Amino acid sequence: MGSGQLMNNNTKLWIRTLCVLIVLTAVSIPCSAALQIGIRGGYFIANGWSETHDLIYDSPGTYSIGAEFTYQFFIPLDLTLAVDVLSASGERVWPSEDGGFEPTGESVSYDMTPITLTARWHFLRESILSPYVGIGVGYVQFKESGEETIDGAGFLVQAGSDVYISRYFRFFFEAEYNSYPDTIGNFGASYYFDESDLGGIVARTGIRVVF
């Protein structure tokens, strides 16, 4: 089985799991629909391509900013569509004679845009502090200066908590692990380090407005 086929099968499995979770909740819990719009920011650690990121961009990760749209189907369950934007700047490298890499003096940057769909299950929904866990699927676009756009599909898991400020406002914080396998690693530093996953770990916070 090829790596591309394996990635597609894994993505289909996560989508099916997400759908099953929604359906099971739909038939067992009374409806309590609500719409939420949020803004969020965080720090992304490039866990899936850490050596490449550290070499070219001289850091383990970068900051992110994004927006999300949430529909609460039932009291403990909601579904969130989110878009985040990440970028970083560094210096392009070139293979050296000793088998490593050396800087070229040419600046390089990237823009990465993950789009995710996440189902979250909340505990203690009506309390001031409401922890939750989530599972979802994602699609990412990655554009490095001077190179073609790369894209791919993946999955995520997360855990966090809402903090109720008022009837209409909620502060939240969460941690997320995401994976976008077989999106990089065909050439350059990522090929040298055998890194093929654009995913990582995100620590994030933000505010949600409830309508």
Side-chain angles (χ1 to χ4, degrees):
M1 179 182 294
S3 59
Q5 183 179 356
L6 179 61
M7 182 190 71
N8 291 335
N9 289 340
N10 288 337
T11 302
K12 290 177 181 178
L13 176 61
W14 285 106
I15 293 174
R16 289 169 183 164
T17 303
L18 188 61
C19 293
V20 169
L21 177 62
I22 294 172
V23 171
L24 289 177
T25 306
V27 299
S28 61
I29 299 177
C31 182
S32 179
L35 176 66
Q36 303 174 33
I37 298 178
I39 56 173
R40 61 197 207 170
Y43 191 79
F44 167 79
I45 299 175
N47 187 61
W49 50 302
S50 58
E51 292 186 271
T52 302
H53 200 285
D54 191 56
L55 173 67
I56 300 175
Y57 300 101
D58 197 29
S59 68
T62 188
Y63 292 97
S64 69
I65 188 170
E68 59 177 43
F69 304 89
T70 300
Y71 190 80
Q72 179 187 331
F73 286 94
F74 309 97
I75 292 174
L77 177 71
D78 59 36
L79 190 65
T80 296
L81 176 66
V83 180
D84 293 288
V85 177
L86 304 85
S87 62
S89 300
E91 184 177 5
R92 199 178 295 278
V93 297
W94 191 256
S96 62
E97 294 181 357
D98 61 5
F101 289 88
E102 59 185 17
T104 64
E106 178 186 355
S107 61
V108 63
S109 63
Y110 74 79
D111 294 300
M112 185 164 69
T113 306
I115 303 172
T116 57
L117 184 65
T118 308
R120 295 194 305 249
W121 187 277
H122 292 255
F123 305 92
L124 307 175
R125 187 80 193 206
E126 304 303 324
S127 67
I128 294 177
L129 194 67
S130 176
Y132 57 81
V133 293
I135 182 173
V137 294
Y139 168 79
V140 67
Q141 282 194 335
F142 179 87
K143 178 67 170 72
E144 192 173 62
S145 55
E147 304 292 344
E148 295 183 355
T149 299
I150 298 170
D151 62 356
F155 69 92
L156 66 91
V157 291
Q158 63 179 212
S161 181
D162 281 333
V163 180
Y164 285 70
I165 302 173
S166 70
R167 166 66 179 82
Y168 300 101
F169 295 96
R170 299 172 185 175
F171 171 79
F172 71 92
F173 55 90
E174 62 189 21
E176 176 182 298
Y177 169 81
N178 54 60
S179 176
Y180 297 95
D182 302 317
T183 45
I184 57 173
N186 293 324
F187 58 89
S190 60
Y191 177 82
Y192 177 83
F193 292 120
D194 193 25
E195 294 177 325
S196 60
D197 193 332
L198 271 176
I201 300 171
V202 187
R204 183 185 296 127
T205 188
I207 192 166
R208 297 179 176 125
V209 181
V210 182
F211 295 91

